[in-house]
Amino acid sequence: MTALPFLPFSRPTIDEATIAAVGDVLRSGWLTNGGPQVAAFEAQLSAYFGGRPVRTFNSGTCTMEIALRIAGVGSGDEVITTPVSWVATANVILEVGATPVFADIDPVTRNIDLDKLEAAITPRTRAIIPVYLAGLPVDMDRLYAIADKHKLRVVEDAAQAFGSTWKGRRIGAFGDFASFSFQVNKNLTTGEGGCLVMNTAEEAALADKFRLQGVTRSGVDGIDVDVLGGKYNMTDIAAAIGIGQMKTIDAVNAHRRALAAHYFKSFGPEFEAHSSAQLPQQAFDTSNWHLFQIVLPDRGPTTRADFMTRMKTEFNVGTGFHYAPIHLFTLYREMGFKEGMFPESERIGRLTVTLPMFYAMTEADVERAVGAVKSVLAK
Ligand SMILES: *Cc1c(COP(=O)(O)O)cnc(C)c1O
């Protein structure tokens, strides 16, 4: 057992200026619902995404659900996604009454395999939800070629991809719907929250309704409800945190890239051959390095549970697993999904491990995590 302090796999950094700004909001008396911080945060986000319309919400999950509602996806429609994501990605498909259809992943990128996605399209397919796992986009040219050819809406689950790019353009600055999460582990956090980048003012007006009970106000006391909305608005308190985080996001993402580069350097060119573990793709021109994930060897000296336990107890290093494949959860098995349907997802789901990666980490922390991985895998 080491005497070193616990190194978690993720930890938020909130600077003092942001903490002071939250204090100002609390003192202002306007905490939520149409407040100045939400409006300012949405304006900053819109500028960040090339001037496209943006609305904020109180989670990345409801952000995706609202995108599906704006697209008119519902009962009788199929939506194709990946099994390797946070369960929210598939739950929102069920939430709007549509049918989830899975396509297996590419074992190198660990994202949805676009050939398998295209093969899963039927006459009932209405939308696709690609997930940019760990911040790595899919082949965006191919994705939108498929969507155009088959006339499908795209709800990009870009929860992990704030600041990721494709051919020099930000994810969210082009394409159809892009949904981001500001949950506490994400590169940019508001505690909890999310935002949706849309195409038109009409879609943004619908987003306004869906996030607040379907209400439209007019004049001094005019109010009407013409669609079923919910209670999904972001608070001014959360938006103030987001505004503070926007000031450092470029530095945060640059530091994460540097830490990822240091991971590869510290593992060294022989690591994969020696250990049979698999490192992530070296996607330095696209990924925001939200997560740094390795895939353990299939017949390794330890199971993943052993590996994670020993990382913690012997080296005081935290790890995570992102994610267990969605189709094998009981709720989804009850719909007919079972083992063997998506073998790559099942293998990665069983063997993937997330190593520490966050803004306050140092290169020494990376070396410590790598040293621990090598020791645990060696015996
Ligand atoms: C975080 C996350 C979500 C959900 O976002 P919340 O803000 O927690 O609701 C959905 N999909 C992926 C891939 C995520 O990482």
Side-chain angles (χ1 to χ4, degrees):
M1 180 70 202
T2 169
L4 290 167
F6 181 56
L7 176 63
F9 85 79
S10 180
R11 177 191 288 153
T13 296
I14 310 287
D15 62 23
E16 288 303 321
T18 304
I19 294 170
V22 169
D24 290 343
V25 172
L26 295 175
R27 277 183 289 267
S28 77
W30 196 318
L31 304 190
T32 186
N33 205 0
Q37 303 295 323
V38 166
F41 186 35
E42 287 177 347
Q44 285 184 9
L45 290 166
S46 177
Y48 188 82
F49 295 117
R52 300 181 72 201
V54 177
R55 291 295 183 274
T56 54
F57 305 90
N58 56 27
S59 76
T61 303
C62 73
T63 300
M64 284 191 287
E65 183 184 325
I66 287 170
L68 291 173
R69 290 195 193 282
I70 294 170
V73 175
S75 172
D77 297 331
E78 292 176 353
V79 180
I80 305 173
T81 192
T82 166
V84 179
S85 182
W86 179 226
V87 66
T89 310
N91 281 355
V92 295
I93 300 170
L94 295 174
E95 203 65 59
V96 300
T99 304
V101 173
F102 295 105
D104 207 354
I105 58 168
D106 172 330
V108 175
T109 65
R110 306 160 191 171
N111 282 328
I112 193 164
D113 180 322
L114 294 177
D115 290 328
K116 292 182 178 149
L117 183 158
E118 191 164 23
I121 294 171
T122 76
R124 290 172 64 202
T125 308
R126 279 289 302 282
I128 49 187
I129 309 184
V131 177
Y132 309 146
L133 192 68
L136 177 70
V138 298
D139 178 333
M140 300 298 287
D141 298 333
R142 179 90 207 283
L143 172 73
Y144 277 100
I146 294 170
D148 286 348
K149 181 170 156 205
H150 299 274
K151 309 250 173 309
L152 304 175
R153 296 305 299 264
V154 181
V155 177
E156 300 178 24
D157 183 350
Q160 304 188 353
F162 199 97
S164 297
T165 56
W166 175 256
K167 296 186 175 167
R169 299 168 80 194
R170 281 195 183 123
I171 294 301
F174 62 98
D176 197 353
F177 294 108
S179 172
F180 295 88
S181 165
F182 305 135
Q183 183 264 351
V184 69
N185 288 340
K186 303 303 195 305
N187 291 27
L188 186 148
T189 186
T190 60
E192 297 283 5
C195 79
L196 183 64
V197 188
M198 293 161 281
N199 304 291
T200 63
E202 289 70 30
E203 289 173 352
L206 262 180
D208 286 334
K209 290 192 205 180
F210 281 125
R211 74 178 167 182
L212 246 179
Q213 314 291 2
V215 163
T216 309
R217 292 182 186 276
S218 58
V220 175
D221 61 353
I223 178 166
D224 191 25
V225 173
D226 62 350
V227 294
L228 177 59
K231 175 67 175 165
Y232 301 124
N233 60 298
M234 178 174 277
T235 67
D236 251 31
I237 304 163
I241 302 173
I243 289 169
Q245 294 261 297
M246 285 295 277
K247 297 195 173 85
T248 52
I249 185 63
D250 291 344
V252 166
N253 286 343
H255 186 62
R256 284 170 174 271
R257 260 194 301 281
L259 292 173
H262 202 63
Y263 261 116
F264 286 107
K265 186 165 162 238
S266 304
F267 274 118
E270 305 295 311
F271 171 73
E272 289 183 313
H274 281 166
S275 67
S276 299
Q278 184 201 345
L279 296 176
Q281 210 179 31
Q282 299 206 27
F284 286 99
D285 51 348
T286 52
S287 181
N288 68 356
W289 294 99
H290 171 61
L291 301 173
F292 192 96
Q293 300 174 297
I294 63 169
V295 179
L296 298 177
D298 219 340
R299 294 169 297 101
T302 61
T303 65
R304 181 173 62 189
D306 283 342
F307 176 89
M308 294 176 74
T309 304
R310 290 184 57 200
M311 289 289 286
K312 174 73 178 64
T313 55
E314 294 174 27
F315 297 95
N316 216 12
V317 173
T319 54
F321 61 101
H322 303 88
Y323 291 96
I326 297 169
H327 68 287
L328 297 183
F329 290 136
T330 300
L331 179 70
Y332 289 85
R333 284 178 187 270
E334 285 170 358
M335 295 170 205
F337 295 109
K338 53 181 186 287
E339 256 114 17
M341 284 180 152
F342 309 106
E344 295 296 350
S345 298
E346 290 165 25
R347 185 178 66 84
I348 302 273
R350 197 171 68 247
L351 299 170
T352 188
V353 176
T354 303
L355 300 181
M357 171 63 87
F358 53 92
Y359 185 43
M361 249 175 92
T362 64
E363 293 196 340
D365 291 330
V366 169
E367 289 157 24
R368 186 182 152 198
V370 169
V373 169
K374 287 181 174 173
S375 301
V376 172
L377 287 182
K379 52 175 186 322

